[in-house]
Amino acid sequence: MTTTLITNIAELTTNTAEHGTLRDAALVIDGDRVAWVGPASSAPAADTRHDAGGRAVLPGWVDSHTHLVFAGDRTAEFAARMAGKPYTAGGIATTVAATRAATDDELAAVLRRHVAEAVAQGTTYIETKTGYGLTVADELRSARIAGSAADEVTFLGAHLVPPGSDPDSYVDLVIAEMLPAVAPYVGWADVFCETGAFDADQSRAVLQAAAAHGLGLRVHGNQLGPGPGVALAVELGAASVDHCTYLSQSDVDALAGSDTVATLLPACDLSTRQPLPDARRLIDAGATIALATNCNPGSSYTTSMAYCVTTAVLQMRLSITEAVAAATIGAAKSLNRTDIGHLGVGARADVHLIDAPSITHLAYRPGIPLTHAVWRAGNPSTL
Ligand code: NIG
């Protein structure tokens, strides 16, 4: 196995209790794993040497919430929203129609293009969802395609009741036919638990059936208004409840007393003219938060984790350390992964070298593409 020494690192964010943040540091990759971290002055020899040039290194971004199996374009919906029209999630049906009409190759190409765009910006681990098929055949096809380029795949057959369907009959279809068909191709199931999508009882039924298939649970909740999504996610021990834009005190208390990660999607809130979630309140209460892009053609068309981190610092009152942690190790926790999101010895070698001496520059220089080099599971993609 080839070893690579990355040295002359001005600031190394490890996200580990053992090493914390190191100055004048080095890191050794052995194959796909981190083999050593410590002061540059005591770094061991390696087969190849990469001079970081006094730049900062942090774990690659973990984007734990995207919807990248889609076709079509919703620019007009976005423009109407910027002119004052509210976001209702009804546009999901537009993407469903375009996705059903697309070929497998077209859907796979869209997925690959967005994953490549994300990796070029420092994302090294990415989740994506089905949810724009909404028939057994189209959800199965979406799940298979998703697995061709994403690290984790989530079944979101309960994204919206397709136009013309009866809600309870559709839930029955999801449980009786979609889940058994799709379960072998996915690790997770998700439900959009929101007024206009699925209520608490319908969401619970889908999630309990998914758990019986051995799938991990995620919930879209409290996005467009207060609702039962967070409470349901905590009740069922979901790994993550995503959006969390409208939280009651009991939602915050429930999250703080649970292992369910509150995944915040600030790019979505900005693009849909919603308030930003109260990340400070969640952290101060003791909840674990993650940041993710929610990249999709309707509510959040960005693959930039840096944009989410910058927003979290500038507009949500997180420290840069908190925001980077949420976009790396917090997001890893939301995917039940302990081998990513940090740069401890033995971690997957997902390394992000930025063109700045410290992570502070991610917020200090908003909008500047700072990614300089990326190693994904030890494989370099120097930019
Ligand atoms: O996370 N909330 C539901 N699903 C997506 C929206 C998808 C769309 O508008 O196409 C979301 O925002």
Side-chain angles (χ1 to χ4, degrees), residues 220-236:
H220 277 65
N222 303 59
Q223 175 183 3
L224 302 172
V230 168
L232 181 67
V234 172
E235 172 197 321
L236 297 180

Side-chain angles (χ1 to χ4, degrees), residues 65 67 74 77 81 87-93 95 129 132 156 159 192 194 220 223-224 242-243 265 268 272 294 296-300:
H65 184 135
H67 305 247
R74 283 162 64 190
E77 179 190 320
R81 201 154 68 234
Y87 175 79
T88 62
I92 293 171
T95 303
K129 302 175 202 306
Y132 291 126
L156 183 58
H159 196 186
F192 186 18
E194 192 88 27
H220 277 65
Q223 175 183 3
L224 302 172
D242 300 33
H243 287 286
L265 310 167
C268 174
T272 56
N294 188 20
N296 74 78
S299 65
S300 185

Side-chain angles (χ1 to χ4, degrees), residues 254-344:
L255 286 163
S258 77
D259 283 332
T260 301
V261 174
T263 297
L264 312 182
L265 310 167
C268 174
D269 296 305
L270 291 173
S271 177
T272 56
R273 300 266 200 238
Q274 296 289 327
L276 288 163
D278 197 343
R280 194 66 275 144
R281 185 175 169 208
L282 284 163
I283 291 179
D284 292 348
T288 301
I289 67 157
L291 287 167
T293 65
N294 188 20
C295 185
N296 74 78
S299 65
S300 185
Y301 197 19
T302 181
T303 52
S304 173
M305 288 291 286
Y307 172 57
C308 301
V309 166
T310 304
T311 301
V313 174
L314 296 183
Q315 298 190 60
M316 294 160 68
R317 295 182 299 122
L318 295 198
S319 70
I320 187 64
T321 303
E322 288 169 331
V324 165
T328 53
I329 199 160
K333 181 178 176 194
S334 85
L335 293 167
N336 285 344
R337 296 290 302 241
T338 55
D339 61 331
I340 59 170
H342 67 92
L343 293 173

